């Protein structure tokens, strides 16, 4: 469990306690005025009404393009990140965030203000990741990646957005893995930035497994933004990918194969449960799409996609996912959809 430190505002992560606990997952929100003004506050109130060890937002503080006439920030101005910080700090439990493509790689789109993408990522690093603590009304101390270096607008910088922590015998880590081909496509692809960050992500992922093994963690959970595509089954929401070679088959730049190959090797060697949480394609699901080189399903791997924006239906998908964590259960993680009563659209709450 999360153990109180010297002040009630700060908490530390411990690997030894094994009592069951719950965490909250959400992301790809808000994308509209109604979501920012009504839906997300409703969601946060619902989270705050439950006892959560911590919460995680898996990226995208806005839609892919700015909304003309919006009264809340929908382009990549500083106000967007101030709004996001306000949301996270209104959560009672420690709040963790990993960046999304809509809030940095895609900021160079004219509709988003035509910003320099790396400058916006530098800004996020300053706003959200300037200390080794989480956000939220209670703070969780985290390990912060120092090497290898990523890139900022002025050169090499630490990837301070990549975090790791262990709670109740489970190790968690965030990874800055992005949609828009992981910054290899869209308006201004940046292969140099991608190469540095990809190497850092792979190193952080591998180190996380090493830390988990050394601490005898019962499971590992990774959290990132991008849906990299895992197989040939769902080309409407993610890149098509040969599940054995993990090579992308749709002709687009492949910003994920090297990472996925490394991840698969580590998952097989770890043997214990591994959960991979992402957003990006806005379709909540919990499944097992990862295969080994012989085409056999990796039984210890679970993909978890959070709810995400459905702007055409207002607050319809402004929901969250509760994960119950119990190291005495062989699967460790169990998943429970949380439909926020005030955000029901198609079928109003009774």
């Amino acid at each position: 469990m999360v153990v109180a430190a010297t002040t009630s505002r700060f908490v530390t992560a411990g690997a030894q306690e094994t009592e069951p606990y719950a965490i909250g997952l959400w992301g790809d929100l808000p994308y509209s005025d109604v979501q920012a003004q009504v839906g997300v506050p409703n969601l946060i109130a619902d989270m705050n009404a439950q006892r959560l060890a911590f919460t995680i937002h898996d990226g995208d503080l806005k839609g892919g393009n700015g909304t003309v006439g919006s009264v809340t920030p929908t382009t990549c101005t500083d106000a967007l990140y101030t709004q996001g910080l306000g949301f996270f700090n209104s959560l009672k439990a420690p709040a963790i965030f990993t960046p999304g493509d809509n809030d940095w790689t895609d900021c160079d789109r004219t509709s988003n203000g035509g910003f320099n993408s790396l400058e916006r990522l530098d800004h996020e690093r300053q706003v959200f990741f300037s200390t080794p603590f989480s956000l939220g009304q209670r703070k969780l101390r985290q390990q912060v990646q120092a090497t290898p270096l990523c890139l900022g607008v002025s050169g090499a910088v630490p990837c301070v957005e990549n975090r790791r922590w262990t709670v109740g015998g489970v190790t968690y880590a965030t990874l800055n893995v992005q949609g828009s081909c992981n910054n290899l496509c869209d308006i201004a692809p940046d292969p140099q930035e991608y190469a540095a960050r990809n190497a850092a992500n792979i190193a952080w992922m591998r180190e996380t497994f090493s830390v988990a093994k050394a601490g005898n963690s019962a499971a590992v959970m990774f959290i990132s933004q991008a849906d990299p595509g895992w197989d040939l089954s769902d080309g409407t929401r993610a890149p098509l990918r040969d599940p054995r070679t993990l090579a992308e088959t749709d002709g687009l730049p492949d910003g994920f194969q090297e990472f996925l190959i490394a991840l698969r090797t580590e998952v097989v060697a770890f043997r214990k449960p591994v959960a991979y949480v992402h957003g990006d394609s806005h379709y909540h699901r919990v499944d097992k799409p990862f295969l080994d080189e012989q085409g056999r399903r990796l039984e210890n791997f679970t993909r978890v996609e959070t709810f995400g924006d459905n702007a055409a239906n207002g607050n319809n998908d402004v929901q969250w996912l509760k994960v119950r964590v119990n190291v005495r259960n062989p699967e460790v993680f169990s998943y429970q959809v949380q439909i926020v009563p005030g955000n029901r659209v198609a079928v109003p709450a009774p």
Side-chain angles (χ1 to χ4, degrees), residues 144-150 157-160 162 196 199-204 207:
V144 182
Q145 185 173 23
T147 58
L149 298 176
C150 286
V157 295
C159 315
V160 294
N162 283 353
N201 282 331
I202 291 173
W204 193 239
E207 185 179 308

Side-chain angles (χ1 to χ4, degrees), residues 2 16 37 40 123 133 147 159 230 240 256 260 291 307 342:
V2 176
Q16 302 305 315
Q37 295 175 319
V40 168
H123 185 68
F133 291 95
T147 58
C159 315
W230 306 90
L240 290 173
F256 307 108
L260 290 173
L291 306 184
F307 286 92

